[in-house]
Amino acid sequence: MSPKKVGVRPVFGMSLRSLPKTIRQSHAPEALQLRPFGSQWEQIKRYFATSRRRKYDLRYHVLDAILYIVKTGTQWRMLPGKFAEWQTVYYYFRRWREEGRILQVLSITSRAARRRAGQHGEPSALIIDCQSVPSARVGGPSARVGRISSFDAFKKVNGRKRHIAARAQGLLWGLVVHAAGDHETQWALQLLAPIASRLDRVETVFADQAYRGLEETLDREFAWKLQVVESDGENSGFSVDPKRSVARTNLRVVRRVAPARPRAGATGRLQ
């Protein structure tokens, strides 16, 4: 649900309005922030209009606030006072997301991380996987979000699926959210097509058996090879696959910073 649509909710018997202002005005612990260092900021600042004078500094008051939410998973309304007002931060977050700026920054930082590790900026292989999560029922304007929520008969989950494409270092290259009842093969192309337009070196995609049958499609659309990772048939229980464990780790992070509750105005694709 969009923060602008959220009403005042009780917290331990009292509303947010009744909380002392000092709670919101307290400074965030420096250890919990992900402030971009000078060299990192130099790489991405060209994607932000920093030349015009503003009440708030886009780096220290807005971008730092977004990174703080990513790190802590806190509510928008509970941003510490050292940042801009939460309405301002959320406005820029929505704007940058819709303009594709966040996607550009993610791509730049991922390439930089690979180069620091002595690798090429672009990966030659990807790992795709998805996770079904329950969605809370909400009324009002958010009810329309139910259109991307359905029942996953295999996982026995009524909600949505988070569909990601990652690499061995844990870097996230793509993310799509869709109804849990939709099969993985229905959305694989929606996930991979934007990545194919940005990456030129990808040759192989690793996936589990749910994606079997897409071999010809990926070869025809992107000239990529789909390699299905077989499970260990000798063990009846859960078996850990090194490649899929990378995707699972990313899905746990996505679950922490992106709750399953539907949000007003949400779309099937997150950028």
Side-chain angles (χ1 to χ4, degrees):
M1 180 180 293
S2 166
K4 295 183 179 180
K5 300 294 185 180
V6 178
V8 177
R9 297 182 178 179
V11 179
F12 298 113
M14 55 183 177
S15 69
L16 290 177
R17 288 198 182 101
S18 65
L19 294 176
K21 288 185 178 180
T22 54
I23 293 181
R24 162 146 158 73
Q25 294 174 350
S26 61
H27 282 42
E30 295 295 332
L32 291 179
Q33 299 183 41
L34 288 176
R35 174 174 296 175
F37 295 105
S39 60
Q40 295 174 323
W41 173 248
E42 291 298 323
Q43 294 176 358
I44 65 175
K45 73 176 184 179
R46 66 179 181 271
Y47 293 101
F48 303 94
T50 58
S51 59
R52 184 167 64 86
R53 291 177 60 88
R54 290 180 171 84
K55 178 180 178 180
Y56 296 110
D57 185 279
L58 290 184
R59 175 185 178 184
Y60 297 109
H61 297 139
V62 178
L63 182 58
D64 272 7
I66 296 174
L67 295 177
Y68 179 82
I69 288 180
V70 171
K71 178 67 174 180
T72 65
T74 189
Q75 299 176 9
W76 289 97
R77 292 174 180 266
M78 299 303 291
L79 275 172
K82 69 182 302 180
F83 302 124
E85 294 293 328
W86 71 265
Q87 297 95 329
T88 301
V89 177
Y90 186 72
Y91 163 78
Y92 278 105
F93 169 73
R94 286 286 301 269
R95 178 179 174 181
W96 292 344
R97 183 184 63 183
E98 293 168 2
E99 293 175 348
R101 296 178 190 269
I102 293 180
L103 187 62
Q104 291 174 327
V105 169
L106 176 62
S107 180
I108 289 174
T109 53
S110 296
R111 285 176 165 85
R114 288 180 56 85
R115 293 189 184 101
R116 286 196 300 270
Q119 298 177 321
H120 193 281
E122 295 186 3
S124 59
L126 294 172
I127 305 166
I128 59 174
D129 203 354
C130 67
Q131 176 191 55
S132 294
V133 291
S135 296
R137 287 184 174 272
V138 293
S142 298
R144 64 180 181 272
V145 182
R147 290 178 299 181
I148 60 170
S149 178
S150 62
F151 184 71
D152 183 348
F154 182 74
K155 297 293 182 63
K156 309 299 185 204
V157 172
N158 186 24
R160 296 181 287 178
K161 281 182 180 177
R162 299 186 178 110
H163 215 148
I164 69 168
R167 191 56 187 106
Q169 296 89 344
L171 300 174
L172 192 65
W173 293 95
L175 168 64
V176 172
V177 177
H178 56 84
D182 295 346
H183 195 266
E184 287 83 337
T185 55
Q186 294 178 247
W187 285 87
L189 292 183
Q190 300 286 342
L191 171 67
L192 296 175
I195 302 175
S197 66
R198 305 194 314 268
L199 303 180
D200 298 324
R201 295 185 68 248
V202 176
E203 298 177 353
T204 307
V205 175
F206 295 97
D208 62 19
Q209 299 183 51
Y211 297 86
R212 190 180 299 278
L214 288 176
E215 290 85 351
E216 294 184 3
T217 302
L218 294 188
D219 180 62
R220 181 180 65 254
E221 296 291 335
F222 313 123
W224 292 353
K225 176 183 178 181
L226 175 64
Q227 183 170 332
V228 176
V229 179
E230 301 286 349
S231 60
D232 189 355
E234 296 180 358
N235 298 325
S236 58
F238 175 78
S239 63
V240 178
D241 176 72
K243 292 184 173 60
R244 291 192 64 215
S245 65
V246 173
R248 292 297 177 184
T249 300
N250 275 297
L251 284 168
R252 286 195 294 269
V253 174
V254 171
R255 183 172 186 173
R256 178 172 60 84
V257 302
R261 172 172 290 183
R263 302 185 177 189
T267 60
R269 181 180 303 280
L270 298 182
Q271 296 181 346

